[in-house]
């Protein structure tokens, strides 16, 4: 393979990673919509589509391995491939969290949510935005945007703490709500983890651009 | 009583040339190059090279053809003296001593800075005589068989040739011939070994044997290797120097740093372009 083909392959790999990012971002939003509107058909569809996300993840990883074995990439090329291998795993896990939300929705069945869903969709919007921004930062090699993503994680954490307190209050006041409150707590926890994964992606972007591996939250607490 | 500098002006530091390309390791400097220029007649082959080669380390020189890496290497044991019209200016200090000072005997110096070439070049003599030759040239008066055995062992060749020392060296395989040449260079126990593409004419297995040897030898010899194979430079060296060639065809040093740094995150975009194959 010529070097120019290698660089074209690398670009294609990054493009496919972006498509995967778009898929998991949509899965997150759709999972919350399905939860909110009690659309069990949509929840079931999200669970099935996660298999496609998993397949794409392994396909991208295999292509990374192939390029390492055959092209011995160095410097930026090497860091991009390493970054992609990590990020693709993070995206796949984000897909799993979206699937987790869909499974909770199915478990809830016909039952209405304990309370009107307001903060949880807000959390989902923020976590999805972080996912998108972390990938935009990758495409644009934008360290500042990556740092913004890490900073946003605090807002998601704050929302999670708020939801947690609220749901625990429900449970204390009326133990009959424990099951329904726990369902929502799981959903909030999944969303909180999505934001953490987006932060991990942002850290990989900083690594790609600067060559430095670091926890963004330690640098910009 | 402790002397204090309080109230005195800061001590005057001699204003030496500040080397931008210093490798980060703090070990001793074996070869200190300062503003090296090399001319062949009126043609400037190398311009303004400054670098410090560290003791007991492997230093790789990489760069495109014509960038002067072999020319710089050849300055380190005055091989360029043998080329009519070659002119070396600037400073090259070997353990602090000017390599090009009038009192330096190039032959004696070359026993301390050995060299191995791209193509194995054993003499059409016996295996034993090839190694012993390196000692004879330098008037060695010790025990020859012991010294030959020691050198062949250091070159990881002894086991393969100990029963055929009287055989002609040209009967050896290419990889064995190259290790014989390394043994010959090691016989006078040099402090530095210069290797100019030592494995480029060898098959992959012989190449790995040479690389293993480089790794073993650097515990007591400082090695400088010129290679076109970047993976080889990445595998065997501690520090890497990247050379490039100017529009006027003069070679120059772009970047000199830890090998890990050069191959994962080089400082200079020209290095980045070269090692990722975006160099035009």
């Amino acid at each position: 393979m010529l070097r120019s083909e290698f660089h074209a392959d690398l670009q294609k790999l990054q493009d496919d990673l972006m498509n995967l990012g778009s898929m998991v971002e949509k899965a997150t939003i759709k999972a919350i919509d399905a939860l909110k509107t009690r659309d069990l058909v949509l929840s079931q569809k999200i669970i099935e589509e996660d298999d496609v996300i998993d397949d794409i993840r392994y396909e991208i990883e295999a292509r990374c391995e192939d390029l390492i074995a055959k092209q011995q990439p160095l410097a930026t090329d090497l860091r991009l491939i390493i970054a992609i291998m990590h990020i693709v795993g993070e995206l796949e896990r984000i897909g799993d969290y979206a699937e987790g939300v869909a499974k909770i929705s199915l478990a809830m069945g016909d039952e209405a949510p304990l309370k009107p869903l307001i903060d949880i969709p807000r959390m989902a919007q923020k976590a999805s935005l972080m996912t998108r921004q972390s990938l935009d930062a990758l495409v644009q090699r934008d360290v500042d945007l990556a740092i913004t993503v890490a900073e946003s994680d605090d807002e998601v954490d704050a929302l999670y703490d708020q939801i947690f307190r609220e749901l625990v209050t429900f449970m204390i006041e009326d133990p009959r709500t424990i099951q329904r409150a726990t369902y929502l707590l799981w959903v909030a926890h999944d969303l909180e983890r999505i934001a953490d994964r987006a932060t991990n992606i942002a850290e990989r972007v900083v690594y790609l651009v600067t060559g430095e591996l670091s926890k963004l939250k330690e640098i910009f607490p | 009583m402790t002397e204090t500098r309080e109230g005195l002006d800061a001590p005057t530091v001699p204003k030496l040339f500040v080397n931008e390309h210093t490798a980060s390791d703090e070990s001793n400097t074996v070869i200190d190059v300062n503003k090296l220029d090399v001319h062949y007649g009126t043609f400037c082959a190398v311009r303004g090279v400054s670098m410090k080669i560290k003791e007991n380390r492997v230093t790789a020189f990489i760069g495109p053809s014509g960038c002067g890496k072999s020319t710089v290497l050849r300055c380190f044991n005055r091989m360029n003296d043998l080329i009519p019209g070659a002119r070396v200016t600037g400073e090259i200090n070997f353990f602090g001593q000017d390599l090009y000072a009038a009192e330096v005997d190039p032959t004696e110096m070359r026993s301390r800075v050995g060299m191995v070439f791209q193509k194995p070049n054993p003499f059409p003599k016996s295996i034993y005589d090839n190694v012993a030759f390196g000692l004879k040239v330098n008037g060695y008066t010790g025990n020859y068989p012991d010294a030959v055995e020691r050198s062949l062992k250091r070159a990881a060749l002894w086991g393969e040739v100990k029963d055929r020392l009287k055989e002609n060296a040209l009967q050896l395989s290419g990889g064995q011939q190259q290790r014989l040449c390394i043994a010959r260079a090691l016989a006078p126990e040099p402090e530095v070994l210069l290797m100019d593409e030592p494995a480029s004419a060898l098959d992959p297995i012989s190449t790995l044997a040479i690389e293993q040897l480089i790794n073993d030898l650097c515990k007591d010899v400082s090695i400088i290797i010129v290679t076109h194979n970047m993976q080889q430079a990445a595998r065997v060296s501690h520090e890497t120097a990247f050379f490039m060639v100017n529009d006027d065809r003069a070679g120059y040093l772009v970047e000199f740093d830890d090998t890990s740094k050069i191959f994962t995150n080089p400082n200079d975009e020209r290095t980045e372009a070269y090692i990722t194959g975006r160099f035009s």
Side-chain angles (χ1 to χ4, degrees):
Chain A
M1 191 198 290
L2 296 172
R3 211 63 180 165
S4 56
E5 285 178 46
F6 162 58
H7 289 133
D9 275 6
L10 215 46
Q11 181 62 47
K12 179 80 172 52
L13 209 49
Q14 184 181 295
D15 293 346
D16 290 349
L17 186 79
M18 293 306 122
N19 287 335
L20 185 67
S22 173
M23 286 171 75
V24 301
E25 187 195 330
K26 282 183 189 142
T28 307
I29 295 295
K30 281 197 294 187
I32 294 298
D33 281 348
L35 178 79
K36 201 173 167 183
T37 59
R38 310 303 313 121
D39 184 344
L40 300 186
V41 176
L42 181 56
S43 295
Q44 184 59 42
K45 193 161 172 266
I46 289 160
I47 293 167
E48 285 158 16
E49 284 175 353
D50 190 58
D51 289 344
V52 180
I53 290 172
D54 292 350
D55 289 346
I56 295 174
R57 177 251 165 107
Y58 290 120
E59 192 232 311
I60 288 179
E61 209 172 301
R63 281 160 58 197
C64 288
E65 276 176 17
D66 194 62
L67 288 180
I68 290 171
K70 292 180 182 167
Q71 294 292 327
Q72 294 95 41
L74 293 169
T76 314
D77 296 341
L78 177 64
R79 296 206 305 278
L80 178 60
I81 291 180
I82 290 172
I84 288 174
M85 287 183 82
H86 281 279
I87 291 170
V88 80
E90 303 289 357
L91 291 177
E92 194 251 321
R93 290 299 288 152
I94 291 175
D96 288 346
Y97 293 127
E99 184 193 17
V101 171
K103 282 180 173 168
I104 293 164
S105 179
L106 288 185
M108 286 164 67
D110 297 332
E111 212 170 2
L114 177 64
K115 59 188 269 303
L117 296 184
I118 295 163
D119 287 334
I120 283 182
R122 275 177 62 205
M123 246 185 116
Q125 289 291 349
K126 279 189 189 293
S128 295
L129 180 64
M130 284 171 67
T131 308
R132 192 188 324 142
Q133 285 179 328
S134 68
L135 294 172
D136 286 347
L138 174 76
V139 172
Q140 294 154 19
R141 308 291 192 264
D142 186 340
V143 171
D144 291 338
L145 186 55
I147 292 166
T148 304
V149 171
E151 288 168 346
S152 304
D153 192 41
D154 292 341
E155 296 169 29
V156 175
D157 288 347
L159 271 173
Y160 176 63
D161 291 343
Q162 182 188 320
I163 291 167
F164 177 83
R165 282 193 302 272
E166 200 178 351
L167 291 171
V168 168
T169 308
F170 268 105
M171 292 191 245
I172 292 167
E173 284 176 357
D174 181 359
R176 286 172 302 174
T177 64
I178 285 177
Q179 182 167 333
R180 287 195 296 162
T182 305
Y183 282 145
L184 294 185
L185 203 51
W186 286 344
V187 170
H189 182 71
D190 280 339
L191 296 173
E192 191 268 331
R193 294 299 293 145
I194 288 175
D196 287 345
R197 298 282 173 174
T199 305
N200 289 350
I201 294 172
E203 284 171 357
R204 289 288 155 183
V205 172
V206 174
Y207 159 75
L208 170 64
V209 178
T210 67
E212 300 292 329
L213 270 176
S214 52
K215 282 196 169 182
L216 279 178
K217 281 197 144 177
E218 284 173 8
I219 310 174
F220 307 100
Chain B
M1 200 175 104
T2 314
E3 230 181 272
T4 173
R5 287 191 178 276
E6 207 172 20
L8 295 175
D9 288 334
T12 314
V13 179
K15 225 181 158 98
L16 296 172
F17 178 80
V18 179
N19 188 355
E20 294 176 355
H21 303 295
T22 309
S24 56
D25 184 68
E26 291 300 319
S27 57
N28 290 334
T29 298
V30 178
I31 296 176
D32 192 347
V33 186
N34 199 354
K35 294 182 178 170
L36 174 71
D37 285 1
V38 184
H39 287 82
Y40 295 124
T42 55
F43 168 58
C44 179
V46 169
R47 182 176 293 138
V49 171
S50 296
M51 65 196 313
K52 293 178 195 297
I53 305 289
K54 303 291 179 186
E55 191 172 21
N56 296 351
R57 309 278 281 175
V58 180
T59 304
F61 285 5
I62 62 167
S65 296
C67 69
K69 54 194 187 297
S70 287
T71 298
V72 173
L73 190 80
R74 294 161 65 90
C75 289
F76 294 166
N77 71 345
R78 293 184 49 170
M79 288 293 282
N80 290 322
D81 289 13
L82 308 172
I83 296 172
R87 186 161 48 88
V88 175
T89 53
E91 281 176 44
I92 303 178
N93 288 311
F94 177 60
F95 286 112
Q97 189 191 356
D98 181 4
L99 260 187
Y100 283 78
E103 65 272 20
V104 172
D105 170 12
T107 306
E108 193 268 327
M109 188 274 289
R110 285 183 199 126
S111 72
R112 299 183 63 189
V113 185
M115 190 154 191
V116 176
F117 298 87
Q118 178 175 358
K119 203 164 167 283
N121 56 350
F123 303 127
K125 290 169 168 284
S126 72
I127 293 167
Y128 179 94
D129 286 346
N130 261 277
V131 183
F133 184 85
L135 297 165
K136 277 181 197 151
V137 168
N138 293 289
Y140 181 69
T141 54
N143 184 325
Y144 270 70
D146 282 357
V148 169
E149 180 177 335
R150 192 165 57 243
S151 301
L152 285 168
K153 279 181 175 166
R154 286 181 76 197
L157 190 59
W158 176 250
E160 293 160 61
V161 300
K162 65 179 183 216
D163 299 325
R164 44 194 286 215
L165 291 173
K166 297 294 167 198
E167 281 182 27
N168 193 312
L170 298 177
Q171 290 174 353
L172 296 172
S173 72
Q176 288 173 326
Q177 287 186 17
Q178 191 63 306
R179 277 180 283 145
L180 180 66
C181 294
I182 293 172
R184 187 175 65 196
L186 288 173
E189 310 222 332
E191 283 111 320
V192 175
L193 194 57
L194 308 175
M195 302 179 118
D196 195 349
E197 295 267 7
S200 62
L202 305 179
D203 68 81
I205 293 170
S206 302
T207 298
L208 285 180
I210 298 289
E211 290 179 4
Q212 181 62 51
L213 187 54
I214 290 170
N215 187 56
D216 295 342
L217 286 173
C218 78
K219 292 175 185 72
D220 40 28
V221 186
S222 309
I223 295 173
I224 308 166
I225 175 172
V226 165
T227 177
H228 271 120
N229 182 335
M230 283 188 287
Q231 272 67 42
Q232 180 169 69
R235 282 194 297 268
V236 304
S237 72
H238 301 102
E239 272 106 37
T240 297
F242 170 58
F243 292 83
M244 250 179 78
V245 60
N246 257 338
D247 291 340
D248 64 359
R249 297 196 297 130
Y252 63 100
L253 178 62
V254 174
E255 188 170 355
F256 181 33
D257 211 328
D258 283 348
T259 295
S260 298
K261 173 80 176 150
I262 292 281
F263 286 108
T264 60
N265 192 16
N267 281 326
D268 196 291
E269 58 188 29
R270 291 166 294 184
T271 315
E272 167 89 29
Y274 180 73
I275 65 171
T276 59
R278 290 179 174 87
F279 185 67
S280 55

